[in-house]
Amino acid sequence: MFNNSSHIDASHSTFSEVHRDQHFTSHASVQGNQTINTIVHGNQILQGSQINGLETLQKASAHSAAFDSVDRHPAPRCLQGTRVQLLDRLTSWMDNETECNTPVCWVNGRPGSGKSAVSQTIAEKYASQKRLAASFFFSRRDIQRRTTRHFFPTITTQFMFSVPAMRPAVLATLEQDSMIPFKVLREQMLKLLLEPLSSGLDRLESPLLVIVDALDECDDPQLVVELVSLLIQLVRASPLPLRLLITSRPEPWLQLHFRQPDIASVTLVLEIESFGVEDDIRSFLQHALSQVHQEHVQIMPSEPWPSTEDLDRIVAKASGLFIFALTVVKFVGDRMHNPVQRLQAILEDKPSRDTAYPELDALYLDAVSVFPDADNVRLILGIVYCLSVPMTVHALHQLFDKPDVDVRVVIPALGSVLMSSDNWEQPIQFYHASFRDFLVSPQRSRKYAIDPVVYHRLMAQLCFKTMARSLKRNMCRIGDPSRLNRDIEDLNERRQAAYDEALLYACRFWSHHLTQLPPHGGVYDSLLEAMQEFCRKTLLYWIETASIFGDVERAIIVLRDALNWLNVPEETATLIEDAERLMLFFRQPISESAPHVYHTAITFASTSSPLYAHFKHEAGGTFMIIEGADEEWQAYQYAIDLGSVTSVAFSPSGTVLATAGMNQGVQLWNVVTGGNVASFGNKASSLFVRFSGSGSFVAGAFSDGMVAVWDPNLGREHFKDVGAHTDDITCLEFSPDSKLLASGARDKTIQLWSLESAQRTHKLTAHEGPVTVITFMPDSQRLCSGSEDNLLVLWDVNTGKVVRGMMGHRAGITALDVSRDGTMVVTGSQDHSVKVWDVRSGSCTRTLSRAHKKVVRSVHFFDHDKQFLSVSDGTDPR
C-alpha cells in the first residue's frame, strides 16, 4: 500500500488497499494503534462478514402490508351484523372440506364496495384462530405496497411466525444466497416459500389462509398476472394445506387470467355485488349516524334523525358503495359543523350524470369545498396524492416549509377524505383509492383536479432543499472507522435522533419524484437549481445516509435512475455519475461502515473528478495522500468473479447481463449494481446465452446438448428440450421477430423451435459436416447456415426445406453475416478468404482471397451495408 506515496502519517487510521489485477485474501485485525487493513479487490472487500440473510429479508419486506400493521390502523372492517352472507360463504369455503377442490377464492367488486373491509374481517377472524399464514394489503398510496417487489419477502416473514418449523429452512436458504429477496418473483417463491414448506414439516389438520387484498392496486398488470400464477402454484404444490383469498376490482385483464382453465378449475369466484348490500349500508349508516347524533346532542333536533325517508335517500345515493356511506358519515360528523345542515346539503345535491359515479363525485366535491381557499386545498391534495409513503402532518409541514400555507390548518378541514389524527402522529392518507381516481379526472373534480406532474416536480424540489439544508457528515456520531455499522448496538436510536421523518423521506424518495416527470417539455429551472445545490453541498452525506440505513444497493439504482432522467444539467450529471462510480467501486466498505465514505471512498477517489473537488475536504481522518493518488477512475465500474465464462449477452434494454459458463447455468445480472437477479439451468455447464430482440426470452445452450428458454422478466421456464443435439452445440440465435429460436451443432443438424408454441418445429439436415454458424434473414422467414463441409445453405424456416446451397470456399465456413435488406451474405472461412454472396441468385459476387493469412473468425456489414469488416487470427481487422 502507498508504494508511490510519501509523507504519510497513518496512526489510528483505517487503510483500504485496492488492487486492480490480483486477488488477495486477508483477515481484519485490530492491533495496538487500532489500525485496520482492509483489502479491496474491484468492488469486493475481502474483510468482514456476509450480509445477514434475515436482515436482508426484513429490509425487502413491506411491514405496512400486514393486516395488523400500525400503518393501516384503523383498518376498515365489517360492522357487526353486516356482510353476513358474504362472510358466511367465505367461512364455508375456508372450513368446509368439500371445498378443497377450490383452494383459491377471488372476491371482486367495484371501487368502494367494501372489499378491504371484508379482507380485514376475515384476517382478524383466522388470526385469532392461529390459522392466518400471511396477508398482504396492496395500496396505490404506499410505494412499498403498490409493487410486487416486496410481496414474497413480506409473506415469507409472516410465514416464519405462523409456521415456525419452516424458519430453519428459510434461514439456511438465505445463508446460501442472501440476495434471493431481490431476484425475480419465481425464484423468490420457490426458494423462500415452496422449498421451505416442502422440507418435511408436520402436516396440519386445518388449512392456513393467505390473504391478498386490492391486487388491482399493484402497478404492473403483467407482474400481477405472474404473481397470481405463482401463488396458485404454491397452493397446489405445498405439502401444507393452504387457502388463498384474493380481492380486487374486476379489471378485464384479471378476469381474463382467472378464466384460464388451469386457474378457473381451482378458483371460487365471488362477485361482491351479488350479495345483498343495501341492508348492510343502511345498518352501517344507522349505527354510525346515531353516534354522530350523540356527539352533537346539544344541537340536534328532538325528533328521530335522520328520518327514515332521508336514510332511504342516502342508501339509494350510495348505489351499493360502502365508501359513499363512509364518506357521508365523516362529512356529516365533522365536529366543527352542524350535522343536520351537512346532511341536508348532501340530500339537496344535484350531481352531474356525465360521470360513472355521479353521487360519489358530488359528495367528494362537498367534502373538499369546506375549506375556503381552493388553491391551498388542491396544493395539499396534490402533495398527498404524490407521496411515495404516507407522512404525518408534522413531517409534511417540515418538508413543505411554506410560510403562507400551513398544512396543519388545511388537513383537519379535509377530514372527510383524508385520514389523520388530532395529535398529528398518524400518517396522512386518502381514505379510499376511489378518491385518487376522482382527483386526476378534471371532469369529475373540476377546479380541484390535480396534475401529478406538477406535484411530483414540487415534491422533488422540496426533497432536494430538505437534504441540502439538513444533511451533514457523521449524522449518527459514529466517527471511528474501525466500527462496523452492525456492531453499533444503539444504531437504531441514533438514526431516529439524527433523521427526522421529513429528512428520511427526502433521502429515500427524491429520485422517485424526479423520474415521474417527463424528460422533455417541462419547465424545471427551480427544480434543477435545487438539485444542483444538493449535489454540490450534501451528495456525499447522502451516501453516508445510505450506508447508515443499509440502502447502498438501492442508492446505486437511485443514482442511475437520476442519470437516465434526461433533464439533468451537465455539472450535476457528472457529480451524480461520480457518486455512482464511487459507490460501485467502494460498495463493500461503504456498506459495512459509514465512516468509510470518508476514510476510504472519497480519500481514494479519482482526484480529477468533480465529486472529489467538491468534497476533498472530507477525505481521510488523520492521514492524507501526498503523492501517488489515482487521477482518473478505473475503466471498469465493478467486477464479478465467475470463473470460466463462455458467452455473454445484454438484454435489448441494456439493463440485464446474461452469462453462460462452466457449472454456472445461465445467470442474469443487474447491469447497474452487478447484483444477481436470477439463476437458470441448475448450475449446469452452459455454452451460449442469447436474448431475443423483444427482451421477452433468454435462451441457453448446454454442454449436454440441451437447449432451454426462460422469461427473464418473470423468471419462468418457457421450455426445455433435453435431447436437442447429440454433440456439442456450436451456435444459438433468435429470429429478428422473436418468434423462433435456432441452434446448430457438431452433430451436423440445426434445430428450430417456435416460441409461441414452445415446441420444436423442424430438424434441418443437409450439412455433411458440423454446423459452425447460423443467422436469420431480416424477414425471419429464412435462415443461413455455414458448416465445416464448406457449404453455405439458405433454409425456409416454415417448411424446413433447403432454398439453395452455395459452394465456393475451399475449407469450412467460420463466420457469417447478412445485410440489413437481406440481399447479401458475407462469409469467412478456414481457407483465409472472405466471400460476398447474392442471396437471390446464390452466386458469389466477390472474393477476397488475400486479405488474411489465417482463419477468418468474424465478419460484419456496416455503413448501411456499403462496407464490411472481417477479423482473423493474428491480423488486424480488414
Side-chain angles (χ1 to χ4, degrees):
M1 182 178 283
F2 306 133
N3 292 335
N4 300 315
S5 307
S6 59
H7 301 94
I8 296 174
D9 177 7
S11 43
H12 293 46
S13 303
T14 301
F15 298 168
S16 288
E17 184 174 353
V18 181
H19 300 269
R20 312 301 188 216
D21 301 311
Q22 297 178 341
H23 288 275
F24 290 80
T25 54
S26 176
H27 297 282
S29 61
V30 181
Q31 301 174 346
N33 63 0
Q34 294 295 308
T35 297
I36 296 179
N37 184 25
T38 301
I39 298 180
V40 180
H41 174 250
N43 70 318
Q44 298 180 346
I45 187 170
L46 301 179
Q47 170 266 324
S49 62
Q50 298 295 318
I51 298 174
N52 183 281
L54 187 57
E55 290 180 358
T56 304
L57 186 67
Q58 294 279 357
K59 189 188 302 180
S61 299
H63 302 292
S64 60
F67 86 98
D68 56 354
S69 166
V70 67
D71 295 314
R72 297 186 60 250
H73 181 78
R77 64 184 315 279
C78 298
L79 182 68
Q80 185 71 29
T82 64
R83 293 296 192 191
V84 174
Q85 290 182 334
L86 177 57
L87 294 175
D88 285 349
R89 182 66 186 91
L90 289 172
T91 299
S92 173
W93 163 76
M94 180 67 186
D95 295 341
N96 196 330
E97 291 186 4
T98 61
E99 306 259 12
C100 62
N101 291 330
T102 54
V104 180
C105 180
W106 178 36
V107 177
N108 64 74
R110 294 181 297 163
S113 56
K115 300 181 295 296
S116 292
V118 171
S119 295
Q120 181 70 23
T121 303
I122 292 293
E124 292 176 6
K125 174 178 180 175
Y126 286 98
S128 68
Q129 300 177 17
K130 300 188 182 306
R131 293 178 58 197
L132 180 68
S135 61
F136 196 104
F137 285 68
F138 282 97
S139 173
R140 282 199 294 257
R141 59 183 176 240
D142 187 333
I143 196 170
Q144 289 190 311
R145 292 163 56 200
R146 63 175 181 239
T147 172
T148 58
R149 185 177 303 134
H150 305 282
F151 182 85
F152 283 115
T154 301
I155 65 169
T156 299
T157 301
Q158 297 176 40
F159 258 95
M160 291 170 69
F161 288 95
S162 57
V163 188
M166 68 178 282
R167 185 183 180 96
V170 174
L171 294 179
T173 297
L174 290 169
E175 186 176 352
Q176 293 176 357
D177 186 354
S178 63
M179 298 308 292
I180 287 175
F182 304 102
K183 294 190 176 183
V184 292
L185 293 179
R186 181 177 180 82
E187 193 88 353
Q188 293 181 41
M189 187 277 288
L190 292 174
K191 300 297 184 182
L192 296 178
L193 285 171
L194 185 54
E195 291 180 7
L197 286 171
S198 305
S199 58
L201 308 183
D202 292 338
R203 184 158 183 88
L204 301 176
E205 293 183 3
S206 302
L208 296 176
L209 177 62
V210 177
I211 295 178
V212 182
D213 182 69
L215 187 62
D216 57 283
E217 294 198 27
C218 182
D219 282 344
D220 192 330
Q222 182 185 13
L223 291 178
V224 167
V225 166
E226 174 66 10
L227 181 63
V228 170
S229 297
L230 289 173
L231 285 172
I232 292 176
Q233 179 185 348
L234 174 66
V235 169
R236 281 173 154 170
S238 170
L240 296 186
L242 298 176
R243 295 285 190 271
L244 172 64
L245 173 61
I246 298 174
T247 72
S248 74
R249 300 180 186 185
E251 301 289 0
W253 49 273
L254 269 174
Q255 292 187 49
L256 184 65
H257 190 59
F258 275 103
R259 289 189 191 121
Q260 292 184 6
D262 60 327
I263 295 178
S265 62
V266 296
T267 303
L268 169 67
V269 179
L270 300 178
E271 296 178 359
I272 205 166
E273 282 79 10
S274 66
F275 294 84
V277 70
E278 286 195 357
D279 289 342
D280 290 340
I281 291 178
R282 180 178 284 101
S283 297
F284 168 76
L285 286 170
Q286 285 175 327
H287 173 79
L289 291 177
S290 67
Q291 291 183 324
V292 171
H293 189 285
Q294 293 174 9
E295 292 170 359
H296 297 78
V297 67
Q298 296 87 352
I299 60 173
M300 297 301 289
S302 57
E303 64 270 14
W305 179 90
S307 67
T308 302
E309 181 185 13
D310 287 346
L311 188 62
D312 288 342
R313 289 173 63 189
I314 298 171
V315 172
K317 280 176 173 285
S319 302
L321 299 180
F322 259 92
I323 187 59
F324 182 92
L326 178 64
T327 308
V328 165
V329 171
K330 294 187 177 299
F331 181 73
V332 172
D334 190 297
R335 283 175 293 178
M336 302 302 293
H337 294 83
N338 186 308
V340 177
Q341 294 175 355
R342 285 209 151 187
L343 183 62
Q344 196 61 32
I346 294 172
L347 293 172
E348 292 176 355
D349 254 346
K350 295 180 180 179
S352 167
R353 297 292 164 180
D354 295 334
T355 69
Y357 303 100
E359 302 289 355
L360 185 61
D361 293 348
L363 182 57
Y364 279 154
L365 285 171
D366 282 342
V368 297
S369 61
V370 295
F371 194 81
D373 191 330
D375 291 337
N376 282 349
V377 169
R378 186 171 56 251
L379 178 63
I380 299 302
L381 293 176
I383 289 175
V384 175
Y385 179 93
C386 290
L387 285 176
S388 298
V389 295
M391 296 177 67
T392 62
V393 174
H394 180 69
L396 187 57
H397 180 71
Q398 286 182 302
L399 185 69
F400 201 44
D401 194 31
K402 192 174 177 65
D404 56 332
V405 179
D406 193 334
V407 299
R408 297 169 298 184
V409 174
V410 181
I411 286 176
L414 302 175
S416 302
V417 291
L418 287 181
M419 187 186 303
S420 61
S421 59
D422 294 339
N423 60 7
W424 300 340
E425 292 182 357
Q426 180 180 349
I428 314 159
Q429 48 192 313
F430 297 134
Y431 271 107
H432 198 265
S434 62
F435 187 65
R436 297 176 64 88
D437 301 335
F438 166 81
L439 284 178
V440 293
S441 172
Q443 182 185 12
R444 299 175 63 191
S445 49
R446 304 176 192 173
K447 66 179 179 180
Y448 297 99
I450 66 167
D451 178 358
V453 170
V454 171
Y455 296 97
H456 277 299
R457 181 178 64 204
L458 174 60
M459 286 300 297
Q461 185 174 331
L462 293 175
C463 288
F464 288 131
K465 288 186 174 181
T466 298
M467 291 187 292
R469 181 174 63 244
S470 303
L471 287 177
K472 59 183 179 181
R473 177 174 177 165
N474 197 22
M475 295 277 285
C476 290
R477 297 176 290 103
I478 299 175
D480 182 0
S482 68
R483 301 186 67 187
L484 302 180
N485 293 344
R486 65 173 177 270
D487 295 332
I488 301 171
E489 295 181 357
D490 62 342
L491 181 60
N492 189 50
E493 289 77 9
R494 295 192 190 195
R495 291 191 298 206
Q496 291 178 357
Y499 296 87
D500 59 42
E501 185 184 351
L503 177 58
L504 189 55
Y505 180 94
C507 289
R508 284 179 169 168
F509 299 116
W510 62 266
S511 178
H512 168 73
H513 293 295
L514 188 71
T515 53
Q516 299 306 302
L517 306 177
H520 299 294
V523 179
Y524 302 131
D525 292 346
S526 58
L527 167 62
L528 296 178
E529 288 175 6
M531 186 179 185
Q532 188 171 53
E533 181 185 19
F534 157 69
C535 290
R536 287 175 173 175
K537 292 176 58 176
T538 57
L539 182 55
L540 194 67
Y541 312 140
W542 177 79
I543 296 175
E544 179 193 345
T545 299
S547 172
I548 288 292
F549 285 91
D551 278 344
V552 169
E553 192 86 5
R554 191 180 68 86
I556 295 170
I557 296 174
V558 162
L559 293 174
R560 175 51 50 181
D561 288 343
L563 283 171
N564 289 337
W565 188 66
L566 303 180
N567 261 307
V568 181
E570 183 176 354
E571 179 189 356
T572 304
T574 303
L575 285 169
I576 293 176
E577 187 173 12
D578 282 345
E580 181 191 41
R581 297 294 295 269
L582 186 90
M583 296 188 78
L584 284 168
F585 202 76
F586 299 104
R587 172 168 42 189
Q588 195 66 27
I590 291 174
S591 299
E592 294 281 353
S593 176
H596 279 267
V597 172
Y598 312 102
H599 289 264
T600 296
I602 197 63
T603 298
F604 292 97
S606 161
T607 57
S608 64
S609 68
L611 186 71
Y612 183 84
H614 279 283
F615 293 100
K616 62 183 177 182
H617 62 283
E618 299 286 13
T622 58
F623 71 91
M624 60 183 300
I625 301 175
I626 306 299
E627 298 176 6
D630 291 331
E631 292 186 7
E632 303 293 338
W633 292 111
Q634 294 300 309
Y636 63 91
Q637 290 188 330
Y638 53 80
I640 304 174
D641 186 4
L642 296 176
S644 175
V645 176
T646 57
S647 178
V648 298
F650 281 98
S651 65
S653 65
T655 59
V656 177
L657 171 69
T659 60
M662 298 300 295
N663 303 316
Q664 294 176 26
V666 170
Q667 303 290 325
L668 301 187
W669 309 88
N670 184 307
V671 170
V672 175
T673 67
N676 183 265
V677 295
S679 299
F680 303 133
N682 297 323
K683 302 295 183 180
S685 293
S686 50
L687 303 173
F688 296 96
V689 63
R690 296 288 187 267
F691 270 102
S692 65
S694 65
S696 300
F697 299 104
V698 62
F702 293 81
S703 58
D704 60 0
M706 180 180 75
V707 172
V709 176
W710 300 270
D711 183 329
N713 301 306
L714 305 178
R716 180 173 57 192
E717 182 181 284
H718 188 58
F719 71 77
K720 179 171 62 178
D721 194 333
V722 177
H725 291 284
T726 58
D727 205 340
D728 289 345
I729 298 173
T730 56
C731 41
L732 184 71
E733 297 295 338
F734 281 102
S735 62
D737 62 7
S738 300
K739 293 182 178 181
L740 298 172
L741 176 70
S743 64
R746 296 194 62 80
D747 62 7
K748 307 176 186 178
T749 69
I750 299 168
Q751 300 286 5
L752 278 176
W753 291 268
S754 165
L755 295 172
E756 292 180 344
S757 66
Q759 299 292 323
R760 195 191 305 179
T761 58
H762 295 291
K763 180 179 181 180
L764 311 183
T765 56
H767 287 292
E768 297 180 357
V771 178
T772 52
V773 286
I774 55 174
T775 189
F776 280 92
M777 304 298 284
D779 60 7
S780 299
Q781 302 300 306
R782 295 167 296 166
L783 175 78
C784 272
S785 62
S787 166
E788 289 185 10
D789 63 5
N790 312 347
L791 184 64
L792 175 66
V793 177
L794 181 66
W795 306 84
D796 184 318
V797 299
N798 295 308
T799 64
K801 303 296 184 181
V802 174
V803 176
R804 63 176 52 87
M806 291 164 269
M807 180 69 77
H809 284 291
R810 292 176 286 105
I813 296 173
T814 52
L816 172 65
D817 193 28
V818 179
S819 63
R820 291 193 300 176
D821 62 5
T823 62
M824 294 183 291
V825 172
V826 59
T827 55
S829 171
Q830 292 176 343
D831 65 9
H832 310 168
S833 72
V834 176
K835 290 181 178 290
V836 179
W837 308 82
D838 185 308
V839 173
R840 289 165 293 195
S841 65
S843 60
C844 178
T845 60
R846 188 175 183 185
T847 299
L848 303 177
S849 57
R850 299 181 180 180
H852 296 285
K853 297 181 180 178
K854 293 188 177 181
V855 176
V856 179
R857 295 299 181 186
S858 179
V859 290
H860 185 69
F861 281 106
F862 69 100
D863 190 20
H864 302 286
D865 299 335
K866 296 176 183 177
Q867 303 181 66
F868 62 84
L869 175 74
S870 61
V871 181
S872 72
D873 290 340
T875 64
D876 294 331
R878 300 298 174 99

